[in-house]
């Protein structure tokens, strides 16, 4: 009775997901915390903070896409992208929309 759940293939895939998630999570944490702290530290130099904030947003979007594909590949769970498409406009308008989006901040907090 105690060994029966370990015969299932899904439990092994879940274990693989957990172990890989630990390794990948260390990379996520290092990347996001470094970019976030650099962005906050550069606020007195506003153009540098804007550039680092844009980089933080783009990196977190890419890592979030990778994380959703990892869930789909290993666990078979499909997670839809949480972000609405950005409306057309200048790069400054799109950057402001990225910073105002709650789904992007939740993604950064998850990573």
């Amino acid at each position: 009775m105690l060994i029966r759940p370990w015969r299932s293939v899904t439990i092994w895939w879940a274990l693989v997901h957990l172990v890989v998630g630990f390794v990948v999570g260390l990379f996520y944490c290092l990347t996001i915390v470094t970019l976030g702290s650099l962005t906050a530290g550069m606020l007195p130099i506003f153009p540098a903070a804007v550039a680092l904030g844009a980089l933080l947003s783009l990196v977190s979007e890419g890592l979030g896409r990778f994380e959703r594909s990892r869930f789909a590949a290993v666990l078979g769970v499909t997670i839809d992208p949480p972000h609405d498409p950005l409306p057309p406009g200048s790069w400054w308008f799109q950057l402001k929309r990225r910073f105002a989006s709650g789904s992007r901040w939740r993604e950064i907090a998850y990573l």
Side-chain angles (χ1 to χ4, degrees):
M1 191 76 165
L2 188 61
I3 298 175
R4 185 171 299 176
W6 291 98
R7 290 182 176 178
S8 171
V9 174
T10 57
I11 194 78
W12 289 106
W13 279 114
L15 187 62
V16 166
H17 178 74
L18 186 67
V19 170
V20 171
F22 176 74
V23 175
V24 171
L26 288 174
F27 172 73
Y28 291 166
C29 183
L30 179 67
T31 305
I32 296 299
V33 167
T34 301
L35 282 174
S37 61
L38 282 174
T39 301
M42 289 291 183
L43 278 176
I45 307 170
F46 188 70
V50 168
L52 284 170
L55 182 63
L56 173 65
S57 177
L58 291 174
V59 166
S60 68
E61 185 176 344
L63 291 177
R65 189 177 307 118
F66 175 76
E67 187 70 6
R68 287 188 296 276
S69 69
R70 190 172 71 90
F71 268 80
V74 178
L75 298 178
V77 176
T78 303
I79 302 172
D80 295 328
H83 313 301
D84 294 332
L86 291 172
S90 67
W91 66 271
W92 180 251
F93 175 73
Q94 288 189 353
L95 186 63
K96 288 192 305 185
R97 292 289 300 217
R98 284 180 188 271
F99 286 144
S101 172
S103 65
R104 296 192 192 271
W105 288 110
R106 284 189 296 276
E107 185 171 61
I108 289 171
Y110 171 80
L111 293 170

